[in-house]
């Protein structure tokens, strides 16, 4: 046990975090080990109690129960085959449009986002559904991959999303309010994405050939029926989950449980629910939920040691000392999240950085809700920025080998979306009402 | 060696096969609670505590199973670039530095807390149910404890691959 100054704790822990995490060992364990080692150095064995209580408080937490529940809901919907139906419906309506298939991908991502909320699930579904369809029709690989990665990442922002379920308890904000706040920024991003694809394909028509004539002749009545049968069920699930939260009837955890139940019923109604599907759903849910909760557990242990060592004050002083007043400090915070997004999984970033940085919002005179939402939008970029770009990993993992899409093409396709996310951030700075209007309308 | 790996992985497999049903239980329990509270206006007294206990069981009890299926996310920016043998070597070093010290300490402290919880008769006081606290603490300790043999199995597989250059 040695005397460690707060500055020393800060440097040791953050430096140790970056170095050990990059070792490529499963993320949670290096994070926990850094907490344990620095904690033992600074406080001796008394740190055991701190680490235990931090971990226990995360695992034994009613609000965070929404996390496994939304994961179960997302995985169930992945197995329900609902995405196939929606894709078919959107295809019939929008395929005449130039760049239509890419726009469909983003739209489908937006709708899936509202019912899935787990990025692995939504990117996987989008890839299996639309990648080969686009490649086969001669779409530019970058356009196709970019639409899938960006559209799939929306899943974590548009409510109900597990990112917001984590942000709420960490920053002590109501998860319900966060859900409502994320609604319009999510739709704004989706609109920006679609607009970008539309205009890019308008000016560079060779990127996205239109579909051939024989594919277009489908009776209107059939189109309408397909649209209704595919869009009504997810709409009902979304409304059942978000409606009860908006109306202040039930907290997100209970709404999530009802959403899961509805998703299971829907899967049964589509005749996709049998014993082996159920086992698969539960297996995958368990794996994702346990993985997320373990990263969360080790990360809060990290944050507990970090804050007890006084390093939170160091970060605070550092951020507040940024030139340029409160906007300078805000820019600094955004930059910290942006940089971390290059290297670390968002779950780790959230559990570690939010308790440290969120208390700064009121000090700087920002609305905590708006501040939190800006961070969530900012982290959309973390899925798209290599070297650690989760959406790209998933796409590369799922894409069939014969599609011929290379990593370089994916990265080229994804970069414009980073620009669009920055544009969305600027729009939300100029018009904070995009974020704040809907939560203000909530009952209660 | 082969036998040890098989036994360790069988434990993980079975823990996962049991714990995954808790996911379904969680959904059904909370749906039932919503029905009771908002439709019949008769909320149950036990759902809050029982559901958080299930939550702990899912998170801790799924650790070994998740590790068996490589479900714990890696930041594989550099790791991915290694050869198969390089990956195995990196994982052995990682297991010795990051896995065993941390997990064994966590097993130790969670067992200690379970023990002291039993000996002082600790109860949870968030609801009127006042359940004993030790089952949920024991669930966390047990989940972490089962994580260890899976780590051993993974380590043995990696060592075998490094030595013989073939998968166990």
């Amino acid at each position: 046990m040695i005397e460690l100054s707060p500055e020393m704790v800060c440097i040791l822990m953050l430096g140790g975090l970056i170095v050990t995490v990059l070792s490529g060992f499963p993320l949670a364990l290096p994070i926990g080990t850094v907490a344990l080692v620095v904690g033992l150095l600074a406080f001796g064995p008394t740190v055991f109690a701190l680490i235990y209580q931090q971990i226990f408080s995360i695992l034994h937490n009613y609000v965070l129960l929404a996390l496994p529940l939304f994961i179960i809901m997302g995985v169930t919907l992945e197995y329900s085959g609902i995405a196939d139906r929606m894709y078919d419906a959107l295809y019939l309506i929008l395929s005449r449009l130039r760049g239509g298939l890419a726009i469909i991908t983003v739209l489908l991502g937006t709708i899936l986002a509202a019912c899935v909320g787990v990025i692995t699930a939504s990117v996987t579904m989008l890839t299996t559904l639309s990648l080969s369809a686009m490649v086969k029709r001669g779409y530019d690989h970058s356009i196709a991959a970019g639409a899938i990665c960006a559209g799939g990442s929306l899943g974590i922002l548009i409510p109900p999303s597990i990112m917001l379920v984590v942000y709420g308890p960490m920053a002590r904000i109501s998860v319900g309010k966060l859900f409502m706040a994320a609604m319009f920024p999510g739709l704004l991003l989706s609109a920006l994405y679609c607009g970008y694809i539309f205009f890019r394909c308008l000016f560079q028509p060779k990127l996205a050939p239109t579909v051939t004539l024989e594919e277009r002749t489908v009776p209107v009545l059939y189109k309408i029926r397909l649209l209704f049968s595919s869009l009504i069920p997810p709409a009902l699930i979304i409304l059942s989950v978000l409606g009860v939260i908006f109306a202040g009837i039930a907290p997100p955890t209970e709404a999530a449980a009802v959403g899961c139940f509805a998703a299971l019923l829907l899967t049964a109604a589509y005749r996709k629910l049998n014993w082996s599907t159920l086992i698969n759903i539960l297996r995958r849910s368990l794996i994702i939920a346990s993985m997320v909760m373990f990263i969360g557990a080790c990360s809060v242990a990290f944050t507990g040691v970090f804050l007890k060592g006084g390093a939170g004050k160091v970060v605070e002083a550092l951020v507040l000392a940024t030139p340029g007043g409160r906007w300078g400090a805000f820019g600094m915070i955004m930059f910290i999240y942006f940089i971390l997004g290059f290297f670390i999984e968002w779950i780790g970033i959230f559990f570690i950085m939010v308790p440290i940085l969120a208390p700064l919002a009121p000090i700087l005179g920002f609305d905590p809700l708006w501040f939190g939402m800006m961070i969530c939008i900012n982290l959309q970029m973390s899925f798209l920025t290599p070297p650690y770009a989760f959406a790209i990993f998933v796409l590369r993992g799922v894409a069939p080998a014969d599609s011929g899409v290379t990593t370089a093409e994916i990265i080229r396709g994804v970069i414009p979306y980073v620009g669009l996310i920055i544009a969305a951030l600027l729009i939300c700075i100029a018009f904070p009402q995009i974020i704040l209007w809907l939560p203000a309308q909530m009952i209660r | 060696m082969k036998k040890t790996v098989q036994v360790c992985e069988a434990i993980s497999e079975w823990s996962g096969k049991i714990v995954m049903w808790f996911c379904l239980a969680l959904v059904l329990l909370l749906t039932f609670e919503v029905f009771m509270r908002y439709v019949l206006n008769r909320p149950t007294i036990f759902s809050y505590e029982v559901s958080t206990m299930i939550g702990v069981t899912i998170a801790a009890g799924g650790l070994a199973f998740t590790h068996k299926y490589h479900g714990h996310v890696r930041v594989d920016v550099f790791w991915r670039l290694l050869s198969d043998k390089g990956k195995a070597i990196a994982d052995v070093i990682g297991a010795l530095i990051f896995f065993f010290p941390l997990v064994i300490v966590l097993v130790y402290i969670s067992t200690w807390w379970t023990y002291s919880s039993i000996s002082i008769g600790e109860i949870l006081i968030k609801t009127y149910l006042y359940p004993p606290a030790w089952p949920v603490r024991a669930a966390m300790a047990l989940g972490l404890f089962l994580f260890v043999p899976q780590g051993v199995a993974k380590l043995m597989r990696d060592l075998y691959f490094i030595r013989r250059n073939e998968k166990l």
Side-chain angles (χ1 to χ4, degrees), chain A residues 323-393:
Chain A
R326 65 184 198 131
W327 288 105
F330 176 74
M332 183 68 190
I333 292 172
M334 283 290 158
F335 185 70
I336 292 174
Y337 278 107
F338 180 67
I339 293 297
L340 286 175
F342 277 94
F343 302 108
I344 304 177
E345 174 76 19
W346 70 268
I347 310 162
I349 301 179
F350 258 40
F351 278 108
I352 292 173
M353 292 316 282
V354 171
I356 297 170
L357 290 177
L360 296 180
I363 298 176
L364 293 167
F366 292 115
D367 184 304
L369 196 58
W370 176 85
F371 185 83
M373 201 40 61
M374 295 301 277
I375 289 163
C376 293
I377 301 172
N378 181 331
L379 278 185
Q380 282 282 301
M381 289 189 278
S382 78
F383 303 113
L384 306 176
T385 45
Y388 189 69
F390 200 70
I392 297 179
F393 284 179

Side-chain angles (χ1 to χ4, degrees), chain B:
Chain B
M1 190 166 175
K2 207 165 202 166
K3 195 78 195 161
T4 319
V5 171
Q6 277 170 353
V7 171
C8 289
E9 292 193 336
I11 295 171
S12 310
E13 186 67 33
W14 275 103
S15 70
K17 275 191 174 146
I18 294 165
V19 172
M20 72 184 185
W21 292 101
F22 282 81
C23 294
L24 189 64
L26 183 63
V27 174
L28 297 179
L29 171 68
L30 284 175
T31 310
F32 176 72
E33 162 68 10
V34 168
F35 180 76
M36 290 301 281
R37 188 186 310 171
Y38 301 107
V39 181
L40 301 186
N41 222 349
R42 279 173 48 196
T44 62
I45 191 170
F46 57 84
S47 94
Y48 182 93
E49 292 293 358
V50 175
S51 60
T52 45
M53 284 179 197
I54 294 177
V56 173
T57 311
I58 292 174
L63 286 174
F65 188 71
T66 307
H67 198 43
K68 178 169 185 244
Y69 289 97
H70 311 287
H72 289 294
V73 172
R74 305 164 174 271
V75 177
D76 55 356
V77 180
F78 300 117
W79 187 82
R80 190 164 43 85
L81 305 175
L82 300 171
S83 66
D84 284 349
K85 195 163 186 169
K87 283 177 186 164
I89 293 171
D91 277 354
V92 168
I93 299 170
L96 297 177
I97 301 177
F98 301 128
F99 186 92
F100 289 107
L102 177 69
V103 176
I104 288 170
V105 166
L106 290 181
V107 171
Y108 166 71
I109 48 179
S110 55
T111 312
W112 189 86
W113 275 77
T114 312
Y115 172 74
S116 73
S117 173
I118 294 172
S119 59
I120 63 168
E122 185 194 10
I123 52 169
L124 297 169
I125 50 165
K126 275 194 182 150
T127 61
Y128 287 118
L129 189 63
Y130 298 127
W134 69 265
V136 59
R137 297 199 186 277
M140 179 173 157
L142 184 64
L144 285 161
F145 178 72
L146 292 175
F147 200 12
V148 178
Q150 182 54 43
V152 172
K154 178 77 175 59
L155 181 70
M156 283 182 150
R157 276 183 184 277
D158 286 331
L159 286 173
Y160 189 89
F161 184 76
I162 295 167
R163 281 255 302 279
R164 307 272 178 87
N165 213 11
E166 58 180 275
K167 292 236 188 306
L168 185 70

Side-chain angles (χ1 to χ4, degrees), chain A residues 188-206:
Chain A
L188 171 71
L189 274 179
S190 170
L192 285 174
Y193 294 172
C194 290
Y196 157 76
I197 295 170
F198 180 75
F199 284 107
R200 179 107 193 261
C201 295
L202 198 67
F203 293 119
Q204 291 171 289
K206 66 174 192 318

Side-chain angles (χ1 to χ4, degrees), chain A residues 24-372:
Chain A
F25 204 69
L27 183 61
L29 293 155
I31 295 176
T33 305
V34 170
L36 184 65
V37 170
V38 178
L40 277 175
L41 280 179
F43 313 112
T46 51
V47 81
F48 287 166
L50 172 73
I51 289 179
Y52 180 79
Q53 274 160 347
Q54 286 286 92
I55 292 180
F56 189 74
S57 71
I58 283 298
L59 301 186
H60 193 247
N61 183 319
Y62 191 69
V63 180
L64 282 176
L65 269 185
L67 220 122
L69 286 167
F70 279 127
I71 290 169
I72 298 167
M73 182 169 120
V75 173
T76 310
L77 286 170
E78 190 182 338
Y79 278 93
S80 72
I82 196 172
D84 313 40
R85 285 166 183 258
M86 286 196 284
Y87 186 80
D88 290 344
L90 288 169
Y91 179 80
L92 287 174
I93 297 159
L94 282 173
S95 58
R96 287 155 188 255
L97 206 64
R98 196 169 274 286
L101 286 183
I103 293 177
I104 290 170
T105 307
V106 173
L107 287 179
L108 188 60
T110 313
I111 304 172
L112 286 178
C115 31
V116 176
V118 190
I119 175 167
T120 340
S122 54
V123 175
T124 306
M125 280 190 268
L126 290 182
T127 310
T128 45
L129 280 173
S130 63
L131 183 67
S132 47
M134 283 192 272
V135 171
K136 214 160 56 193
R137 287 182 183 72
Y139 270 57
D140 181 72
H141 289 181
S142 295
I143 287 281
I148 290 171
C149 288
S153 304
L154 284 173
I156 207 117
L157 181 64
I158 295 179
S161 83
I162 61 171
M163 188 183 241
L164 304 174
V165 173
V166 174
Y167 191 88
M170 289 294 110
R172 295 168 200 276
I173 303 179
S174 135
V175 174
K177 282 217 157 96
L178 277 169
F179 275 7
M180 296 309 140
M183 204 56 142
F184 285 115
L187 294 178
L188 171 71
L189 274 179
S190 170
L192 285 174
Y193 294 172
C194 290
Y196 157 76
I197 295 170
F198 180 75
F199 284 107
R200 179 107 193 261
C201 295
L202 198 67
F203 293 119
Q204 291 171 289
K206 66 174 192 318
L207 292 180
T210 44
V211 293
T212 47
L213 266 175
E214 66 268 26
E215 286 187 345
R216 292 179 180 174
T217 46
V218 175
V220 179
L221 213 65
Y222 179 74
K223 275 189 194 178
I224 292 173
R225 225 188 65 196
L226 192 64
L227 186 68
F228 273 87
S229 77
S230 68
L231 286 185
I232 298 269
L236 282 178
I237 291 183
I238 298 162
L239 284 179
S240 67
V241 173
L242 290 182
V244 292
I245 298 172
F246 185 79
I249 297 172
T253 306
E254 284 152 29
V258 176
C260 280
F261 193 68
L264 282 168
L265 288 184
L266 182 71
T267 314
Y270 283 160
R271 301 187 190 289
K272 286 276 175 70
L273 191 65
N274 51 38
W275 186 252
S276 73
T277 315
L278 184 64
I279 297 281
N280 277 332
I281 290 171
L282 294 177
R283 273 173 76 100
R284 291 246 343 235
S285 305
L286 177 64
I287 288 177
I288 301 175
S290 180
M291 176 270 285
V292 171
M293 292 306 288
F294 190 47
I295 296 177
C298 289
S299 300
V300 291
F302 182 95
T303 316
V305 175
F306 193 81
L307 292 177
K308 190 168 159 56
K313 292 268 176 261
V314 178
V315 174
E316 187 182 318
L318 209 69
V319 168
L320 294 179
T322 317
R326 65 184 198 131
W327 288 105
F330 176 74
M332 183 68 190
I333 292 172
M334 283 290 158
F335 185 70
I336 292 174
Y337 278 107
F338 180 67
I339 293 297
L340 286 175
F342 277 94
F343 302 108
I344 304 177
E345 174 76 19
W346 70 268
I347 310 162
I349 301 179
F350 258 40
F351 278 108
I352 292 173
M353 292 316 282
V354 171
I356 297 170
L357 290 177
L360 296 180
I363 298 176
L364 293 167
F366 292 115
D367 184 304
L369 196 58
W370 176 85
F371 185 83

